[in-house]
Amino acid sequence: MDVLTRALKDGASPDPQSLLAAIPYCRHLGIRAELRESGLVLVMPFADHLVGNVFLPALHGGVIGSLLETAAVAQVIWELRGPRLPRPVDITIDYLRSGRAVTSYARARIAKQGRRVVNVHAEVWQDDEAKPVAALRGHMLLPAAD
Amino acid sequence: MLGLTPFMASIGAEILEMGAGAARARLPYGPKLVGDPDSGVVHGGAVTALLDQMGGAAVMAALDHPVPIVTLDLRIDYMKPATAGVDIMAEARCLKVTHEIAFVRGSAYQTDAADPVAICTATFMLMRGAQALRAPAKG
């Protein structure tokens, strides 16, 4: 991806917002990135097409999973400045609360970085970061540099 | 529960079969699903969404009387990269329903069901005390 190639050339971390804007599926979900003092936070405003249960209404579990997985991948790219997208090997998602029809946020952290495999944890929350809506643990394979 | 949720409709998923504790769907390849613009490969999150939906559908197809369900957890193993430009099929089977919990296995594949791109294990909670599920609009 141009975003990653340019960043690698500059020796800088890739701009997370440019990265997400280059990914069509993230644009479909409306996910954008914010760099805060506390680190990288992904923001997903509510939209009608993200709903999984129209009666509550609640976000689709797969949308929440997608936000978690995107946060995990974005964190690995941003921290490790990889030349290519890391590839998810496995993920486990715990659904803790219903995802309401409001803006959702996600943050990830690298729990363990190996030479080829990274263990990542991520959480999604809405109004209160202390009350997560869902949590992810997963492994990502780092592609070998060309 | 034959109707598609708004999100499934937005990514173009189609439920093909649902019955006897199992469900099968197709996710036609499309530009908005792409997670890697270099390769055109579908974002893992779209596969996650499809497997979550099929898991829930399999549980509904295993119940005599529909009750609202929620996903407790979902584990996905990505067995191999998906091929760009090719539809993704997903199927799930409900292995066991207790009073409160349903256990599901599922997989996603492209051309060969025996060579999946992802497999999943999911657990759902049955909200038996909750208000009866109203029939969603058919999508």
Side-chain angles (χ1 to χ4, degrees):
Chain A
M1 281 172 77
D2 289 350
V3 179
L4 299 179
T5 315
R6 273 201 310 274
L8 188 72
K9 207 180 287 174
D10 298 345
S13 285
D15 169 30
Q17 180 51 37
S18 309
L19 176 76
L20 293 188
I23 298 176
Y25 185 71
C26 295
R27 289 204 302 271
H28 181 62
L29 295 180
I31 302 175
R32 60 172 197 265
E34 286 180 6
L35 269 176
R36 300 183 179 177
E37 255 178 54
S38 54
L40 178 60
V41 173
L42 300 199
V43 183
M44 185 181 73
F46 175 76
D48 287 339
H49 71 281
L50 303 181
V51 165
N53 180 324
V54 291
F55 300 112
L56 292 176
L59 292 173
H60 195 287
V63 168
I64 295 170
S66 299
L67 177 58
L68 284 164
E69 189 174 324
T70 303
V73 171
Q75 185 70 28
V76 171
I77 291 171
W78 187 64
E79 268 192 55
L80 304 186
R81 305 175 188 182
R84 295 217 303 260
L85 291 174
R87 211 172 79 210
V89 176
D90 58 54
I91 56 169
T92 302
I93 301 167
D94 290 324
Y95 291 96
L96 306 170
R97 292 177 176 82
S98 175
R100 290 170 297 115
V102 298
T103 300
S104 303
Y105 304 87
R107 185 198 298 282
R109 70 179 179 87
I110 293 177
K112 167 76 165 72
Q113 184 197 334
R115 203 168 52 83
R116 291 299 311 282
V117 172
V118 182
N119 181 291
V120 195
H121 294 191
E123 283 191 343
V124 164
W125 74 94
Q126 293 186 320
D127 300 330
D128 182 356
E129 189 168 353
K131 291 180 177 169
V133 164
L136 170 148
R137 285 172 294 122
H139 293 100
M140 311 238 163
L141 199 58
L142 300 172
D146 290 329
Chain B
M1 177 83 185
L2 281 173
L4 278 176
T5 57
F7 183 66
M8 281 292 110
S10 84
I11 58 173
E14 307 156 2
I15 294 181
L16 302 177
E17 285 172 56
M18 201 176 144
R24 198 161 68 91
R26 175 196 293 126
L27 182 62
Y29 182 81
K32 69 171 73 157
L33 301 177
V34 169
D36 181 348
D38 286 341
S39 63
V41 166
V42 169
H43 193 289
V47 177
T48 301
L50 190 67
L51 284 170
D52 179 46
Q53 182 81 32
M54 283 308 93
V59 175
M60 297 307 280
L63 297 174
D64 293 331
H65 304 287
V67 294
I69 57 171
V70 295
T71 316
L72 282 182
D73 64 50
L74 180 66
R75 175 189 165 109
I76 299 189
D77 293 305
Y78 294 103
M79 313 291 279
K80 63 171 197 174
T83 303
V86 181
D87 296 354
I88 294 177
M89 313 292 291
E91 51 192 34
R93 176 164 295 279
C94 180
L95 299 183
K96 169 86 177 169
V97 180
T98 71
H99 185 69
E100 287 171 311
I101 305 291
F103 301 91
V104 167
R105 295 287 185 276
S107 65
Y109 59 94
Q110 292 186 301
T111 50
D112 180 3
D115 187 20
V117 294
I119 57 174
C120 89
T121 301
T123 312
F124 292 82
M125 184 164 187
L126 313 183
M127 315 295 277
R128 289 198 194 268
Q131 188 187 356
L133 189 71
R134 283 168 285 177
K138 285 201 164 70

